[in-house]
């Protein structure tokens, strides 16, 4: 029974996450890309995110293909997953709002790209990635299946490993000292800690 609650919560969460992104995606497309560092690796990682965050959960929800990797969903992970979803929505919305037209889903700089160091970006450098991580954690807690549950988390951790340093290098090359100062006074994901 609770497996279905988890699946329903996940599907609703996916819809909310996409709904938060769509208007920002449309708006940022109005600003041209000035520089792109999107290579084969980056494209592969984005595809893996699509598989882990969308395709695998969908297969799990609509077919019995992954049933060999099912386990019972308990109340604690279910409640934890719902709390994580709520928090990820808030953080995702805040970071999108603060980043505005400077957002890209890849390693890109837009025309007249502005360095954002206010709002949620005053506390941490990667609030959007933090929100996606918490969302992926929610997926792992809500979908009681080792394959569909962990898909997004595995893909996103891989993406972070390969994207974080190149992104900070790109920002450093573009903005120089102001970004260096920003790096020195902020942490990546957890204020004052990490
Ligand atoms: N890493 C950030 C942004 C994710 S979106 C976060 O997790 O919140 C990725 C794009 O945002 C990058 O390609 C870069 O162009 C842009 N970006 C990252 N940090 C930025 C900042 N502080 N100000 C403006 N643009 C930024």
């Amino acid at each position: 029974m609770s497996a279905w609650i988890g699946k329903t919560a996940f599907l609703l969460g996916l819809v909310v996450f996409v709904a938060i992104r769509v208007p920002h995606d449309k708006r940022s497309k109005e600003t041209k890309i000035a520089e792109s560092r999107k290579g084969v690796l980056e494209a592969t990682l984005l595809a893996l995110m699509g598989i882990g965050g969308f395709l695998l959960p969908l297969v799990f929800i609509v077919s019995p293909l992954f049933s060999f990797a099912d386990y019972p969903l308990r109340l604690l992970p279910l409640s934890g997953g719902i709390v994580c979803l709520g928090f990820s929505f808030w953080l995702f919305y805040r970071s999108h709002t603060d980043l505005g037209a400077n957002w890209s889903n890849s390693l890109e700089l837009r025309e007249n790209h502005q360095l954002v160091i206010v709002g949620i970006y005053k506390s941490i450098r990667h609030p959007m990635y933090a929100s996606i991580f918490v969302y992926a954690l929610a997926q792992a807690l809500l979908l009681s299946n080792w394959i569909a549950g962990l898909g997004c988390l595995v893909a996103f951790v891989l993406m972070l490993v390969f994207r974080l340093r190149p992104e900070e290098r790109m920002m450093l090359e573009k903005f120089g000292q102001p970004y260096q100062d920003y790096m020195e006074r902020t942490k990546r994901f957890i204020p004052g800690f990490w």
Side-chain angles (χ1 to χ4, degrees):
M1 170 65 187
S2 60
W4 278 103
I5 303 176
K7 287 175 185 176
T8 309
F10 169 78
L11 280 177
L12 289 174
L14 184 64
V15 171
V16 173
F17 224 65
V18 171
I20 294 172
R21 170 145 289 177
V22 166
H24 294 282
D25 190 32
K26 274 191 186 151
R27 194 179 58 168
S28 70
K29 276 185 182 137
E30 289 164 12
T31 316
K32 280 194 188 137
I33 291 162
E35 186 187 331
S36 176
R37 298 189 184 189
K38 184 175 172 180
V40 178
L41 178 64
E42 184 64 15
T44 310
L45 292 169
L46 283 169
L48 277 181
M49 278 298 288
I51 294 170
F54 185 71
L55 200 65
L56 296 183
L58 209 66
V59 171
F60 167 63
I61 289 168
V62 303
S63 84
L65 201 68
F66 298 149
S67 58
F68 65 91
D70 281 352
Y71 57 86
L73 181 57
R74 311 245 175 250
L75 191 63
L76 196 65
L78 175 65
S79 332
I82 292 171
V83 171
C84 282
L85 259 192
F87 180 67
S88 74
F89 294 158
W90 171 77
L91 197 55
F92 192 57
Y93 176 81
R94 280 265 354 223
S95 45
H96 253 308
T97 307
D98 290 338
L99 203 55
N102 301 297
W103 173 75
S104 276
N105 80 338
S106 187
L107 285 179
E108 289 164 346
L109 290 165
R110 301 207 171 256
E111 274 181 359
N112 299 316
H113 201 107
Q114 305 293 314
L115 175 61
V116 178
I117 52 171
V118 293
I120 194 77
Y121 285 85
K122 197 174 172 184
S123 310
I124 45 172
R125 296 201 294 281
H126 301 290
M128 194 173 292
Y129 295 159
S131 74
I132 298 171
F133 182 83
V134 178
Y135 172 86
L137 203 59
Q139 175 175 326
L141 291 169
L142 292 172
L143 298 184
S144 49
N145 178 278
W146 292 112
I147 299 167
L150 292 176
C152 192
L153 206 55
V154 170
F156 192 61
V157 168
L158 263 180
M159 170 165 265
L160 283 182
V161 167
F162 288 103
R163 188 192 269 192
L164 223 50
R165 279 175 203 281
E167 180 174 317
E168 292 188 340
R169 202 179 314 124
M170 177 180 82
M171 299 302 285
L172 211 46
E173 285 168 21
K174 168 74 181 166
F175 295 101
Q177 197 58 43
Y179 194 76
Q180 180 68 47
D181 295 344
Y182 176 55
M183 285 178 84
E184 278 163 22
R185 53 172 199 273
T186 52
K187 299 284 183 191
R188 281 175 166 159
F189 302 111
I190 304 173
F193 183 66
W194 185 51

